[in-house]
Amino acid sequence: MPQKNVLTFDPRTKIVLLVLINILVLGSGPFIITLAAAGIVAALYLSAAKWTGALKFVIFVSICAAAFLILPAVIGGPVSAVVAVTGYWLARFGVSCGYAAYFISTTGPAQISAALIALKFPRVIVVPLVVVIRFIPTVAEELHAISDAMVLRGIYPGPIGALAHPIRTAEFVLVPLLAASSRIADDLSASSMLRGLGSHRNPTSIEKLTFNFTDVVLILCALALTIFSIFGKGLAL
Amino acid sequence: MTSQQTTSSRSKISTRDLVNIGVYTAIYYVITFLGGMVGIVSPIGMFVGFVLSTIIGGTVIMLFMAKTPVMGAMTVLGLIVGVLMLATGHFWGCIPICAALGFIADLIVKAGHYHSRTHNILAYGVFQLWIIGPFAPLFMNTTAYYEDMRSSMGAQYATQMSQIFTPLVVAIFVVILCFVGLFGAWIGTKLIDRHFAKARLVS
């Protein structure tokens, strides 16, 4: 898990930042907030040594921002205006999705559940969320197994066939998926209850959660951005 | 293993229900996410994708309602869907929107004593309106956004833009989504009758 030369952050910090960046970027703050948040996200990608991810993210946001900020000044007309609006929204959604991709790729399921328990989230949220994180790979596996079985029986529709008969294809895939899942759900609830999932005592975790100096820096950056977005509304851009 | 789950309604959410909520949320969310993936192609693709995922998700939620006849099940499912939307970079407002619609769906299902077809179908049609959630930033805070646009593209264009996302357009979108949801849920009940009720997976 933790590698050398890579900055790791506490999962609690990352969850707080997930919410903050989302509110800032998709809220009513000026566009420059989005660009500043993009800077933080790019720095996070670099801190995790995800070079290609950082490059893709920076290029995407730069193109979108350029489409909004520069294009209408250079070329007028309705087409460039439509492109500019699209760029404006893609930049905003791109930053929030970019952070989410960073969050998912650097935070393991055990870390997320440990953080949620440490943050005192109620049982009604923690238990289903842990099951979801555990179960999404199973859904993917089952889908693969079902499509293999369809190939074997010669009823695999292929992309064109699936588009031609979407409902029938959905039935062929969905019914075995749901049948298998409801069986797995029974097994899963039995085995997880044996291990004490959802019992009222606070469970401990082998994941050690510790706040480091890097967490403090990150939180301060996010706070500065938040304050700026609250008091900096009158700014141009 | 024999399923000890009773399908008569209970008053309190058990751990078993919570695991069930997790499992069905995972399936439902994967379907919704795959539907959204279609939308990467084009905005029209996005609409088609959500219509498809709404129809397919109907079966999942109908089966879920049959398996967990307990007050609060849809609220928690909605809440978790909202959290997953946030974790995948969508608008944070999805959490309250999904939870509130889930709660309304719960009330509708409860009004039908958990076994009424009509009530369950209606509940899904209402719940599915959460699809508005991820697009809510396009409709909310519009004045702030048009400030942004005005500085970049001029006043005339900004006012034109503000006339596209009118309440009427949003209302039409909502009504269409609701009807697609009802259709999907109806298909769901047919599929459950045909495949699951016979195999005694649900009563």
Side-chain angles (χ1 to χ4, degrees):
Chain A
M1 287 271 295
Q3 298 164 357
K4 280 182 179 170
N5 306 326
V6 168
L7 283 182
T8 50
F9 295 97
D10 189 292
R12 286 169 289 183
T13 314
K14 287 195 249 182
I15 290 176
V16 169
L17 225 72
L18 179 70
V19 178
L20 265 184
I21 287 193
N22 199 292
I23 292 175
L24 288 177
V25 167
L26 297 179
S28 62
F31 193 65
I32 194 155
I33 294 286
T34 305
L35 295 180
I40 293 181
V41 176
L44 282 173
Y45 269 106
L46 292 179
S47 77
K50 295 188 179 298
W51 313 117
T52 48
L55 193 66
K56 278 183 202 163
F57 177 76
V58 168
I59 290 175
F60 181 80
V61 174
S62 316
I63 290 177
C64 292
F68 172 60
L69 294 173
I70 302 167
L71 190 70
V74 180
I75 317 162
V79 177
S80 93
V82 168
V83 174
V85 172
T86 315
Y88 177 78
W89 282 109
L90 282 182
R92 279 179 180 260
F93 283 106
V95 173
S96 79
C97 290
Y99 180 77
Y102 162 80
F103 174 75
I104 291 169
S105 66
T106 56
T107 322
Q111 282 186 316
I112 294 178
S113 61
L116 290 177
I117 290 164
L119 289 170
K120 300 248 183 292
F121 271 75
R123 191 181 72 105
V124 191
I125 295 177
V126 175
V127 174
L129 205 56
V130 169
V131 174
V132 167
I133 297 167
R134 150 79 177 71
F135 202 71
I136 282 180
T138 311
V139 175
E141 268 171 36
E142 290 292 324
L143 283 176
H144 273 292
I146 290 166
S147 73
D148 284 350
M150 287 172 94
V151 171
L152 205 64
R153 295 191 58 185
I155 52 171
Y156 186 71
I160 297 162
L163 283 177
H165 301 281
I167 303 285
R168 202 181 68 188
T169 312
E171 183 182 352
F172 284 0
V173 176
L174 195 63
V175 170
L177 176 68
L178 286 175
S181 300
S182 63
R183 218 173 37 243
I184 297 170
D186 282 347
D187 289 355
L188 201 61
S189 60
S191 78
S192 55
M193 273 192 288
L194 275 177
R195 295 175 197 188
L197 183 74
S199 62
H200 288 286
R201 270 190 289 162
N202 287 334
T204 52
S205 174
I206 56 164
E207 287 291 336
K208 281 198 187 104
L209 303 178
T210 44
F211 280 117
N212 291 325
F213 179 65
T214 48
D215 290 300
V216 177
V217 173
L218 192 56
I219 292 276
L220 284 180
C221 286
L223 274 183
L225 205 58
T226 313
I227 292 166
F228 181 62
S229 95
I230 293 170
F231 294 104
K233 280 220 165 106
L235 285 167
L237 262 174
Chain B
M1 190 188 324
T2 55
S3 170
Q4 286 136 19
Q5 209 159 18
T6 55
T7 40
S8 61
S9 57
R10 282 153 283 151
S11 55
K12 208 162 165 280
I13 293 188
S14 64
T15 305
R16 200 187 190 92
D17 292 324
L18 292 178
V19 172
N20 259 333
I21 292 173
V23 165
Y24 285 94
T25 310
I27 301 171
Y28 176 73
Y29 188 70
V30 167
I31 289 169
T32 307
F33 198 81
L34 290 179
M37 279 296 172
V38 181
I40 288 183
V41 189
S42 74
I44 295 168
M46 186 174 285
F47 189 75
V48 173
F50 279 129
V51 166
L52 278 182
S53 65
T54 298
I55 293 174
I56 298 168
T59 309
V60 181
I61 300 296
M62 284 296 112
L63 192 60
F64 170 71
M65 285 174 180
K67 284 242 164 194
T68 37
V70 57
M71 182 62 196
M74 283 302 289
T75 314
V76 178
L77 182 130
L79 197 64
I80 304 293
V81 168
V83 170
L84 290 175
M85 289 303 278
L86 173 68
T88 46
H90 297 84
F91 179 50
W92 60 270
C94 286
I95 295 178
I97 292 172
C98 291
L101 286 171
F103 183 65
I104 296 171
D106 256 334
L107 291 179
I108 298 173
V109 174
K110 190 179 163 49
H113 304 288
Y114 299 96
H115 286 295
S116 155
R117 281 267 149 101
T118 328
H119 283 83
N120 288 9
I121 291 175
L122 194 66
Y124 179 68
V126 171
F127 176 68
Q128 203 55 24
L129 298 181
W130 72 265
I131 293 281
I132 297 283
F135 303 103
L138 296 165
F139 314 124
M140 289 164 52
N141 297 322
T142 37
T143 44
Y145 296 131
Y146 297 130
E147 271 315 304
D148 276 2
M149 310 231 161
R150 195 163 287 131
S151 59
S152 170
M153 295 183 299
Q156 191 206 352
Y157 186 74
T159 38
Q160 277 178 1
M161 267 305 291
S162 66
Q163 279 154 10
I164 293 178
F165 289 116
T166 56
L168 182 68
V169 175
V170 180
I172 291 172
F173 189 64
V174 165
V175 170
I176 292 176
L177 257 180
C178 188
F179 274 102
V180 171
L182 296 177
F183 178 62
W186 177 73
I187 289 184
T189 58
K190 295 285 147 205
L191 279 185
I192 289 170
D193 279 350
R194 199 162 134 192
H195 296 282
F196 296 102
K198 259 191 223 160
R200 302 231 162 211
L201 279 167
V202 290
S203 61

